[in-house]
């Protein structure tokens, strides 16, 4: 049977294509975006699973919007007023997909920073959006370019990852946050603020959500994959109450609701007295890993490279002075280290990036140093 | 922000609209399609949750296709040969949504029996399919009508619920199964065989899956909501291996994968020595409830009604000789019994049904009799 037309435009994912090679014995993978499994809150998960096992009501069908006690907890944690609401989703990936399905007609304009999160590119491609990109600076999106594309009057949504962007690790300055909110208001563009890495800050000061400056026209996507465990597949979308209604209707057709025992497990973890310490522990280890990676690059990479420093998240963006990043990634894999070429993070096929994305959350500091030594043999 | 155009064509669900009224104190609900919570395999669920709590690998990201040990178990249970494969989904509802997203272009022809499962109507509406219906007889779809619509040459998919249809409870005869498979082959129509109630047979002989007669052009959707617990949100799609590939790509954009701890819990339950006894227990209790409902109707309903006998599933279809079923359902709710008017199960708004759908899985035999007495006060 012939697939639907929009499938043909879906780019194959580089990361999925190299997945089996990257997970082969002896290969150190800096390619994926995996959290460190050894830092999962195992004891909290175990307690929560055991507690929830006897809560009979979570095994029946539930409300599409989510498990009411979890919604109440999040409404309070995020200090949402009554104009805002919460929708629990099967990972924040589903939150983004539901926004696209509920709001995008084929051809509608969506702006992203380039390079971009691949999962968002996939969602907007499936929705047949017209994807426009703006370049990224060290402070966030190029504001003149953003104003220019907004001013065409033809943009419905701006998708952004202001905290520790995937793939570049860039964290927007306060000034950029204020200006983007102002531009969204001025040009009536709705903001999708994707914040999966926000709680992975290990240095510097936390900055306000961009959406806090334009809450009447913004969705926030939050993930529990990086702070609890990704296997649970839970995220949430918050946003104006009436904006969530069409998404709830689509979600009813898409999967009725997300797993209730998992929502109850998540609530137990979030409410646990030890959760804050768990989060600090993850941040501390990611900081150590980041430093190991940076020191490894400074010490062992002999050719000219550059990278931005980061204060959190899971990635750095290593700019090469020469060479083809796809060829380098391929050769590095043969040398026992998996990385993703920057070209993989641009819509279309003619990206001119000379960068590599390096993940520092998944491997131990020792593995990261070995990986960098191997990488040096190639670049 | 203005929702996408296809949202406007989504019919509001009668069942969702009356949900709060139907779950009010004192109301007996025969409206939903809920399994009996008191028959859930609680001890198996508790054991499984406790076992899985310590399986660290299920808390990390996993494969989009599903948890490999569960896939291997199902591949063997369903005796799939190597041309067939399994995709684990967030409920079988998601399986249907993924088929639609991967294969339907706007305007593609999809055939359903009328009346129809509402969740399938929603999926095909969101996908902007051109929905054609064929009437249902006591043996299954009207074969002449089906051949007629297939012969237009303009049909891509036939969606069917051959075992204990929702809403009518009809179970297709063997002859109908053979003939439908033949028609699908003859007219190159792909079959979606939705089988959520197949394992809820409490009398008579199980008949082969329709897809067993045309496996090269058929998907089968299976639900664990009725045999294990719906809160888990797990179902599977089986079908030709290469037909599942575009669906896996869409699922990656939709939610990456379904909850892994839930998949591991399901596997523990399915492999447990007591699972077969649990299933027999559910079947026995549903049979008792069905008999209580039927005896209640025969004894207490004083006006002329008729209904088909069923050998399993969760519903009967009560045909009224007179009256407006929507008005009757509304009045019945005021009398303390929730039912769904047959008109809710037809696409469009001008359905001429005089029937009510009655669920017998959720309430106790005693409640069912009280519900029927209350219903008699109205019709």
């Amino acid at each position: 049977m012939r697939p639907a037309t929009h499938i043909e435009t879906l780019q194959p994912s580089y990361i999925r294509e190299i997945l089996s090679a990257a997970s082969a014995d002896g290969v150190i993978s800096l390619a994926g975006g995996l959290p460190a499994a050894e830092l999962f809150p195992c004891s909290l998960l175990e307690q929560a699973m055991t507690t929830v096992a006897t809560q009979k009501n979570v095994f029946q069908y539930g409300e599409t919007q989510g498990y009411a006690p979890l919604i109440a907890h999040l409404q309070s944690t995020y200090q949402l007023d009554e104009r805002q609401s919460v929708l629990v989703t099967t990972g924040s990936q589903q939150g983004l997909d539901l926004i696209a399905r509920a709001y995008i007609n084929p051809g509608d304009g969506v702006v992203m920073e380039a390079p971009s999160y691949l999962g968002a590119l996939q969602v907007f491609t499936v929705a047949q959006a017209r994807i426009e990109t703006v370049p990224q600076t060290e402070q966030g999106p190029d504001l003149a370019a953003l104003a220019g594309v907004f001013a065409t009057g033809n943009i419905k949504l701006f998708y952004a990852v202001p905290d520790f962007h995937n793939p570049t690790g860039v964290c927007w300055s306060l000034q950029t946050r204020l200006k983007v909110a102002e531009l969204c208001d001025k040009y009536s563009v709705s903001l999708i603020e994707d914040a999966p890495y926000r709680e992975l800050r290990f240095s510097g000061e936390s900055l306000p959500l961009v959406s806090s400056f334009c809450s009447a026209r913004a969705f926030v996507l939050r993930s529990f994959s990086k702070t609890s465990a990704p296997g649970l597949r839970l995220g949430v979308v918050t946003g104006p109450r009436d904006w969530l209604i069409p998404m709830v209707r689509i979600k009813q057709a898409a999967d009725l609701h997300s797993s209730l025992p998992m929502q109850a497990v998540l609530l137990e973890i979030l409410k646990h007295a030890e959760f804050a310490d768990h989060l600090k522990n993850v941040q501390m280890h990611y900081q150590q890993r980041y430093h190991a990676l940076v020191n490894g690059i400074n010490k062992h990479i002999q050719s000219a490279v550059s990278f931005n420093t980061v204060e959190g998240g899971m990635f750095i963006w290593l700019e090469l002075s020469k060479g083809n990043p796809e060829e380098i990634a391929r050769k590095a894999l043969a040398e026992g280290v998996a990385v993703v070429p920057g070209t993989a993070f641009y819509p279309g096929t003619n990206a001119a990036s000379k960068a590599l994305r390096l993940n520092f959350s998944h491997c131990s500091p020792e593995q990261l140093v070995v990986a960098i030594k191997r990488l040096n043999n190639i670049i």
Side-chain angles (χ1 to χ4, degrees), chain A:
Chain A
M1 186 165 41
R2 185 160 182 175
T5 319
H6 56 266
I7 299 283
E8 288 159 22
T9 57
L10 255 187
Q11 286 186 68
S13 151
Y14 178 87
I15 297 168
R16 284 186 70 211
E17 286 189 351
I18 65 157
L19 197 66
S20 61
S23 53
D25 268 358
V27 173
I28 301 177
S29 180
L30 280 53
L34 301 187
E38 64 275 22
L39 302 177
F40 288 163
C42 293
S43 142
L44 302 191
L45 282 164
E46 206 175 319
Q47 285 174 53
M49 289 281 285
T50 309
T51 303
V52 168
T54 58
Q55 292 173 0
K56 292 189 181 175
N57 60 320
V58 301
F59 293 99
Q60 185 56 283
Y61 283 111
E63 301 279 334
T64 302
Q65 199 191 338
Y67 181 54
L70 177 63
I71 290 177
H73 176 83
L74 296 174
Q75 193 102 19
S76 153
T77 305
Y78 302 148
Q79 299 180 291
L80 302 181
D81 66 31
E82 61 192 14
R83 287 163 300 182
Q84 300 273 313
S85 191
V86 178
L87 170 62
V88 182
T89 55
T90 309
S92 66
Q93 182 71 32
Q94 191 193 37
L96 184 57
D97 191 44
L98 292 174
I99 293 171
R101 296 182 78 181
Y103 288 100
I104 295 177
N105 288 312
D108 278 352
V110 173
V111 178
M112 309 175 75
E113 294 170 275
S116 309
Y117 166 54
L118 287 176
L121 271 177
Q122 287 176 332
V123 164
F124 296 131
T125 303
V126 172
Q128 301 178 68
R130 182 175 43 80
I131 299 172
E132 306 273 357
T133 59
V134 293
Q136 206 182 36
T137 73
E138 284 185 24
Q139 308 296 313
D142 179 315
L143 293 169
L146 192 68
V149 68
F150 280 10
T152 61
N154 217 348
I155 299 299
K156 192 161 190 179
L157 288 159
F158 176 33
Y159 170 82
V161 187
D163 289 292
F164 318 119
H165 183 266
N166 175 0
T168 62
V170 163
C171 186
W172 297 9
S173 66
L174 179 60
Q175 204 180 355
T176 298
R177 289 168 194 249
L178 286 161
K179 185 68 186 175
V180 167
E182 189 188 312
L183 289 173
C184 285
D185 271 337
K186 178 171 176 187
Y187 293 107
S188 296
V189 170
S190 302
L191 175 70
I192 305 172
E193 180 164 24
D194 194 0
Y197 312 109
R198 184 169 168 81
E199 292 173 272
L200 297 184
R201 175 181 285 279
F202 46 69
S203 66
E205 287 296 314
S206 183
L207 294 169
L209 286 167
V210 180
S211 53
S212 67
F213 304 120
C214 59
S215 64
R217 58 171 68 260
F219 292 110
V220 183
L221 295 171
R222 315 211 192 212
S223 166
F224 301 103
S225 295
K226 281 75 185 179
T227 53
S228 298
L232 307 180
R233 305 305 310 122
L234 288 175
V236 295
V237 192
T238 60
R241 192 169 284 276
D242 58 334
W243 283 19
L244 296 182
I245 295 169
M247 293 165 60
V248 170
R249 292 183 66 188
I250 293 281
K251 184 165 168 67
Q252 211 205 5
D255 64 7
L256 299 185
H257 61 83
S258 298
S259 162
L260 277 184
M262 293 291 91
Q263 294 185 58
V265 162
L266 177 64
L267 178 60
E268 290 289 320
I269 293 172
L270 296 178
K271 281 166 54 184
H272 201 287
E274 289 170 25
F275 182 70
D277 286 340
H278 154 70
L279 204 53
K280 277 190 203 128
N281 186 52
V282 172
Q283 291 157 352
M284 183 195 73
H285 278 89
Y286 285 5
Q287 183 170 34
Q288 287 174 356
R289 290 168 186 214
Y290 167 65
H291 286 310
L293 182 68
V294 165
N295 293 339
I297 293 170
N298 290 335
K299 194 164 165 189
H300 300 294
I301 299 269
Q302 286 152 342
S303 61
V305 295
S306 64
F307 58 92
N308 54 326
T309 56
V310 301
E311 297 185 333
M314 295 168 46
F315 306 106
I316 69 164
W317 187 245
L318 187 73
E319 298 269 5
L320 309 174
S321 55
K322 61 183 194 311
N324 174 328
E326 292 178 16
E327 198 184 316
I328 289 170
R330 205 162 36 241
K331 285 184 180 168
L333 195 54
E335 195 78 9
V337 56
V339 296
V340 186
T343 46
F345 299 98
Y346 290 81
T349 50
N350 43 11
S353 169
K354 281 210 179 311
L356 302 175
R357 185 188 77 172
L358 306 185
N359 167 274
F360 58 79
S361 61
H362 187 56
C363 295
S364 70
E366 297 72 29
Q367 286 174 314
L368 288 167
V369 174
V370 176
I372 289 301
K373 287 181 183 168
R374 290 180 187 171
L375 196 58
N376 181 58
N377 297 338
I378 306 300
I379 60 179

